[in-house]
Amino acid sequence: MTNYEKTFIVTRSILCLSIAILSEAQPYLMQLDRWEVLQPSIGISAMHMQLLHNGMVIMFDRTDFGTSNITLPGGMCRYDPSDTAVKFDCSAHSILYDVASNSYRPLKVQTDTWCSSGSVLSNGTLVQTGGYNDGDRAARMFTPCGFSEICDWIEFPQYLAQRRWYATNQILADGRIIVVGGRRQFNFEIFPRPDSRSRESRFEFLRETTDGSNENNLYPFLHLLPDGNLFVFANTRSIVFDYKRNRIVREFPEIPGSDPRNYPSSGSSILLPLDETNNINMEAEIMVCGGAPKGAYSSVKNGRGFARATSTCGRLKLTGANPSWEMETMPLPRVMGDMLLLPTGDVIIINGAGAGTAGWENARDPLTRPVIYHLFDRRFSVMSTASRPRLYHSSAVLLPDGRVLVGGSNPHVYYNFTNVEYPTELSLEAYSPPYLSFTSDSIRPKILTSDKVVNYKGLFNLSFSVAQFLTVDLLSVRIVAPSFTTHSFAMNQRMVILKLLSVARDGLTNSYRINVLGPSTPEIAPPGYYMMFLVHAGVPSSGVWVQIE
């Protein structure tokens, strides 16, 4: 454990003790974390979410739900003779949500986006791939614009080499996107394709990890590693994969317990923060949590009941001669949970159920209490209760202000609002972790100015203010890549802790100026837009957008 980690833990313990004493003395105080309903309905169920660098969040569900609860503007309608629900549809199945104004407007998506995937290019354009039916080989692009400007989806219906339904995307070091797997697709391809004749590449690891009709290797977990290779987890197995040469570099032990973790068992996975502050070889560590036990899907379908979800998490350091899984137990078993990195480096696990598996009507015991995993001292905290369940087809993303945006939940074939145990959920909520409590205001930093563009290994400046500055040892600068979240996996999510070179007080005020070193390589931080946070004594600032290039 580094000195930074030790100091971080001690300081957080002191802060927690102070808060506990304050709460004892004033029991009427609100809980430190809180939920807020932002919109009772956005007209669609937010099955897929992507935060964009202009502060907007694009959300969409699928076209074969039937008519949504929001109309396309200006008399616009969608005609699709191959749609399985509504061939002539004047409702929207995608929206653009403005975080700052808490408002939204409809967008038009033509082909079916059900169970698709996405990544953001270095210029900020969202590339969205695959789906179902007429959308399974489609590529779609959305270039951010102002909320009142006119921008919408642009679609390329047959762009992909193969059907991509339940596939996973990962942005690569060179700015391209790899699209891996999908239902009955044991291969991968690259976007943009080099030429019109480009084909997919075989990936036998996906064939080897399928559980027959139960599959359990869809939406494989992909993480770009600092050496440029990919970590791939499917079912219970994981490898380091050299996609350029199409070969497995290394295979790790199976995760203990033999329970599958990918769709439809639907656990979740993250790449833990990459730390550039130590002048040693960078460690890469993966965490996989939750899911449904082997046979859970068949148990529901055959009427044998809803199996208790998996309660274990595994951490795997990929460096070293003999990597092995270190297992931990969550306070709540969880399937279909979303794992997100908070600005502090801690992990929130939110949404999901305590029994069953992914799929229509396949889960029970909704979990409305998220847990936060404190990374350095390996401790779980059970947090406050949300007002509504978020089951199958829910999603969550981290916002620049430190809140977690939560939406979706449609555990049915269509939009069902009555006569079902868990109605379709069209609302949006925001979860505020404890670090946003007023009790931390005195030590909360505020970024005043920052360079907008950060170069690799380049020096950049940042100024901030804080009412009570404690010590430079408790200060860190982190960049976070916003995720494309769907089906319990936040694709492309990563955090890099940057090297802080100097801190100087700016005159006699509570302002300070720091010099920071940009990320070392595109393999550590692929080019593109990141939220940059300044963390002081475990309390983050609001994030500002920077472009890494």
Side-chain angles (χ1 to χ4, degrees):
M1 184 179 291
T2 66
N3 290 333
Y4 168 76
E5 294 169 356
K6 292 177 182 176
T7 309
F8 185 93
I9 292 169
V10 170
T11 304
R12 187 173 59 205
S13 299
I14 293 170
L15 289 171
C16 289
L17 179 60
S18 300
I19 291 166
I21 293 170
L22 183 62
S23 298
E24 275 295 315
Q26 302 183 57
Y28 56 84
L29 287 176
M30 294 175 61
Q31 282 189 273
L32 299 180
D33 64 330
R34 66 187 183 92
W35 286 89
E36 176 187 8
V37 176
L38 300 175
Q39 290 286 348
S41 172
I42 56 172
I44 65 167
S45 186
M47 184 189 300
H48 312 78
M49 276 195 198
Q50 173 70 61
L51 172 67
L52 304 171
H53 70 274
N54 63 351
M56 312 289 176
V57 182
I58 192 164
M59 307 177 196
F60 51 96
D61 49 26
R62 45 187 281 207
T63 63
D64 60 350
F65 263 2
T67 304
S68 77
N69 282 25
I70 182 171
T71 303
L72 286 166
M76 186 187 305
C77 294
R78 169 184 160 273
Y79 175 65
D80 187 350
S82 65
D83 195 280
T84 58
V86 181
K87 300 187 187 307
F88 189 77
D89 187 0
C90 300
S91 67
H93 296 278
S94 176
I95 68 156
L96 187 66
Y97 174 74
D98 180 22
V99 176
S101 65
N102 188 26
S103 56
Y104 58 94
R105 67 175 177 87
L107 301 172
K108 183 183 177 183
V109 62
Q110 175 68 24
T111 55
D112 197 351
T113 50
W114 180 21
C115 303
S116 51
S117 51
S119 294
V120 175
L121 296 173
S122 60
N123 66 359
T125 294
L126 170 61
V127 173
Q128 205 277 310
T129 51
Y132 181 67
N133 196 18
D134 64 346
D136 59 8
R137 292 181 60 186
R140 308 168 191 86
M141 301 181 76
F142 185 90
T143 300
C145 66
F147 187 71
S148 60
E149 298 176 53
I150 299 174
C151 56
D152 213 326
W153 288 103
I154 298 173
E155 303 197 32
F156 307 89
Q158 295 295 316
Y159 186 89
L160 301 176
Q162 292 294 337
R163 301 170 63 245
R164 300 297 172 191
W165 191 30
Y166 300 94
T168 301
N169 290 18
Q170 172 63 56
I171 193 78
L172 300 172
D174 60 7
R176 297 182 302 163
I177 298 165
I178 189 168
V179 187
V180 178
R183 178 153 282 171
R184 292 180 287 279
Q185 295 297 331
F186 312 118
N187 51 63
F188 67 90
E189 60 185 287
I190 303 293
F191 180 97
R193 60 192 183 196
D195 56 64
S196 60
R197 299 183 302 276
S198 297
R199 303 294 300 169
E200 78 284 357
S201 299
R202 292 177 61 183
F203 191 21
E204 287 301 310
F205 176 72
L206 293 181
R207 189 186 302 275
E208 295 168 7
T209 52
T210 187
D211 276 344
S213 61
N214 290 337
E215 295 170 299
N216 283 325
N217 68 346
L218 300 180
Y219 280 124
F221 303 146
L222 260 63
H223 302 287
L224 178 67
L225 299 178
D227 64 2
N229 291 318
L230 292 174
F231 175 87
V232 185
F233 185 106
N235 202 322
T236 62
R237 291 173 55 191
S238 54
I239 59 172
V240 173
F241 181 61
D242 180 350
Y243 66 91
K244 295 177 182 177
R245 296 175 176 83
N246 197 354
R247 64 186 181 94
I248 295 174
V249 176
R250 189 175 201 178
E251 181 155 7
F252 301 102
E254 289 194 45
I255 193 167
S258 301
D259 288 328
R261 306 287 178 149
N262 297 86
Y263 184 92
S265 285
S266 294
S268 193
S269 172
I270 57 168
L271 172 68
L272 295 179
L274 300 172
D275 192 348
E276 294 251 56
T277 62
N278 295 318
N279 296 318
I280 56 175
N281 291 331
M282 178 175 290
E283 282 190 345
E285 186 172 4
I286 302 296
M287 190 172 185
V288 175
C289 288
K294 194 175 183 67
Y297 186 84
S298 298
S299 178
V300 175
K301 292 305 180 186
N302 296 331
R304 296 195 302 269
F306 301 87
R308 182 179 183 268
T310 303
S311 61
T312 56
C313 288
R315 287 177 62 164
L316 179 67
K317 285 186 178 180
L318 307 185
T319 49
N322 297 295
S324 62
W325 290 96
E326 297 181 27
M327 303 304 292
E328 305 184 33
T329 302
M330 297 185 291
L332 302 169
R334 192 179 301 254
V335 61
M336 296 182 291
D338 291 295
M339 294 176 69
L340 297 173
L341 283 167
L342 297 174
T344 58
D346 293 335
V347 179
I348 188 169
I349 310 174
I350 199 166
N351 299 336
T357 185
W360 291 317
E361 320 295 343
N362 287 354
R364 293 294 184 271
D365 184 22
L367 294 180
T368 54
R369 301 186 71 180
V371 298
I372 292 180
Y373 177 72
H374 306 286
L375 187 59
F376 294 134
D377 52 5
R378 298 175 179 248
R379 178 175 55 85
F380 288 96
S381 297
V382 181
M383 311 311 293
S384 295
T385 304
S387 62
R388 51 205 70 193
R390 303 284 179 179
L391 296 167
Y392 188 45
H393 290 154
S394 59
S395 59
V397 294
L398 175 69
L399 297 178
D401 60 16
R403 294 179 299 165
V404 175
L405 183 66
V406 177
S409 187
N410 186 286
H412 320 288
V413 179
Y414 299 112
Y415 288 112
N416 290 341
F417 305 103
T418 58
N419 301 318
V420 288
E421 190 164 0
Y422 305 113
T424 298
E425 196 50 74
L426 305 184
S427 66
L428 274 186
E429 291 180 281
Y431 173 73
S432 296
Y435 54 65
L436 292 176
S437 167
F438 71 94
T439 57
S440 299
D441 284 351
S442 65
I443 57 172
R444 187 186 318 284
K446 179 181 180 181
I447 296 176
L448 301 176
T449 62
S450 171
D451 293 350
K452 301 300 182 185
V453 176
V454 174
N455 300 122
Y456 293 104
K457 296 183 180 178
L459 186 68
F460 70 97
N461 299 311
L462 183 154
S463 65
F464 72 97
S465 64
V466 63
Q468 183 182 357
F469 184 66
L470 298 179
T471 170
V472 68
D473 292 333
L474 298 177
L475 200 64
S476 65
V477 178
R478 294 136 184 265
I479 55 173
V480 180
S483 64
F484 179 93
T485 303
T486 190
H487 289 76
S488 303
F489 186 50
M491 302 177 194
N492 309 294
Q493 176 182 212
R494 71 200 295 114
M495 173 185 287
V496 181
I497 305 173
L498 300 179
K499 191 175 184 64
L500 196 158
L501 299 179
S502 65
V503 181
R505 190 161 188 167
D506 194 0
L508 299 177
T509 67
N510 291 326
S511 299
Y512 300 82
R513 181 171 294 275
I514 61 177
N515 292 324
V516 188
L517 198 61
S520 298
T521 67
E523 288 76 15
I524 290 171
Y529 287 93
Y530 290 73
M531 295 175 280
M532 184 167 66
F533 296 92
L534 182 64
V535 180
H536 175 238
V539 177
S541 67
S542 288
V544 298
W545 288 101
V546 296
Q547 188 173 19
I548 307 295
E549 61 178 32

